[in-house]
Amino acid sequence: MLRLSGIVPPVVTPLLQHDQLDPEAVDRVVEHLITGGVSGLFVLGTTGEGPSLTYQVRYQMVERSCEAAAGRVPVLVGVTDSSLAESILLANHAEASGASAIVAAAPYYFATNQKAVTDWFRQLADNSPLPLVLYNMPGCVRISLDIKTVIELSQHPNIIGIKDSSGDLGYFRQVCDRFADNPDFVVFMGPEELIPEAVAAGADGGVCGGGNLLAHVYVNLFKAAKANDANEVARLKAIVDDMFTSVYLDPAGQMNLIPALKLAMSLCGLCSSEIAPPLQRPSAEHDAQIRASLAGLLVSAGSPLVGQLVS
């Protein structure tokens, strides 16, 4: 059985245009992540703009990511969709491409309930050739998976864990407590700023968007938290906090994570800053803030990307 742990970043999708993948940039990003020590790759998640991409780009991203990873780490594929049939088709493509698991949030657009999403996940797990990780993402799909729902779904032999991006530590701790004695069901934290608290609660790992830029920082933060190294946790957490203030948040304090992250990565030569609608490019003020602060962030993080930084 697949056993996941550690930092599995939600990989950005490098684009040449909003509907055209940049395959060479995929190779660069994947190599950067694996060199940074990540334990896996999660493609077509929220940070990967999965639901905004054409199906052609999604399929190409899966293929190229698996090729670039070349079996060195497991590749997880986001198959979240409003259509169950499309999710199953992408799951089959992921398996054929060499992926290790799929990840899915509840279907969006139509109002739903716990019974409906339970049935939906069961059908997906029944028909997927790969194991399924549940994705609790109420901020995007407008429904949170109840603890009882997660427990019920965990009994399915093809459902192996959950990624929780609710940001609710109380909920997360309950999930960790419930599955503390079940090594076959993993629990991953979504919000990267909560990695120390997640580890203390018993998390198996984290899905950190900032890992696309500073993979080694999040890998080492997870390790330091596991080792109860308070000083190292504090040092690395300060870098994560700097990531938020200098990159993610615009001068008005508004979050614009994915476009900002892609801009920072473009300045390091990893990929272009191209994004898919409806996301918007950083404002001129936010762009200037990122350009002015990025070198300092990379230096404090000890990142090898310092040498690749362009003006």
Side-chain angles (χ1 to χ4, degrees), residues 222-302:
F222 179 78
K223 290 178 179 177
K226 292 284 284 185
N228 293 312
D229 187 340
N231 290 333
E232 184 67 353
V233 166
R235 184 185 75 83
L236 294 167
K237 186 64 163 54
I239 296 171
V240 173
D241 292 342
D242 188 17
M243 180 79 146
F244 274 73
T245 57
S246 64
V247 177
Y248 295 161
L249 297 172
D250 69 15
Q254 296 298 307
M255 183 72 78
N256 196 20
L257 191 155
I258 299 166
L261 178 60
K262 276 192 158 180
L263 173 58
M265 293 175 71
S266 75
L267 296 173
C268 296
L270 290 171
C271 64
S272 79
S273 60
E274 188 72 29
I275 49 175
L279 294 179
Q280 298 287 299
R281 293 179 181 276
S283 66
E285 295 78 13
H286 194 187
D287 184 299
Q289 171 189 295
I290 293 170
R291 292 175 186 272
S293 60
L294 185 55
L297 173 65
L298 295 177
V299 169
S300 67

Side-chain angles (χ1 to χ4, degrees), residues 3-6 162 169 172-183 185-189 194-206 222 225-226 228:
R3 178 65 184 171
L4 300 168
S5 64
I162 183 171
L169 269 175
F172 188 82
R173 288 175 177 131
Q174 288 183 62
V175 175
C176 287
D177 287 346
R178 175 59 182 78
F179 295 102
D181 297 325
N182 184 354
F185 192 87
V186 297
V187 182
F188 272 68
M189 170 59 78
L194 297 178
I195 289 300
E197 292 85 352
V199 171
D204 293 282
F222 179 78
K226 292 284 284 185
N228 293 312

Side-chain angles (χ1 to χ4, degrees), residues 52-189:
S52 295
L53 304 173
T54 68
Y55 288 109
Q56 181 180 25
V57 169
R58 296 185 211 186
Y59 278 54
Q60 291 171 341
M61 180 62 181
V62 172
E63 293 169 9
R64 191 71 178 213
S65 298
C66 289
E67 289 175 8
R72 290 175 289 174
V73 296
V75 176
L76 285 66
V77 175
V79 301
T80 301
D81 203 288
S82 56
S83 165
L84 176 62
E86 290 291 353
S87 293
I88 293 169
L89 285 171
L90 186 51
N92 280 287
H93 181 71
E95 192 270 340
S97 298
S100 299
I102 59 168
V103 183
Y108 51 89
Y109 189 81
F110 287 112
T112 188
N113 54 46
Q114 296 298 314
K115 181 183 183 304
V117 296
T118 298
D119 290 344
W120 191 89
F121 280 119
R122 277 181 176 152
Q123 290 182 69
L124 178 57
D126 284 344
N127 289 279
S128 171
L130 295 175
L132 166 64
V133 176
L134 307 174
Y135 186 2
N136 189 39
M137 187 52 158
C140 289
V141 301
R142 307 296 181 237
I143 187 170
S144 182
L145 300 180
D146 286 352
I147 300 290
K148 290 182 179 179
T149 298
V150 178
I151 293 171
E152 184 175 349
L153 287 170
S154 73
Q155 297 170 16
H156 193 290
N158 205 30
I159 297 179
I160 63 168
I162 183 171
K163 175 201 171 186
D164 175 39
S165 291
S166 68
D168 182 343
L169 269 175
Y171 172 94
F172 188 82
R173 288 175 177 131
Q174 288 183 62
V175 175
C176 287
D177 287 346
R178 175 59 182 78
F179 295 102
D181 297 325
N182 184 354
D184 294 328
F185 192 87
V186 297
V187 182
F188 272 68
M189 170 59 78

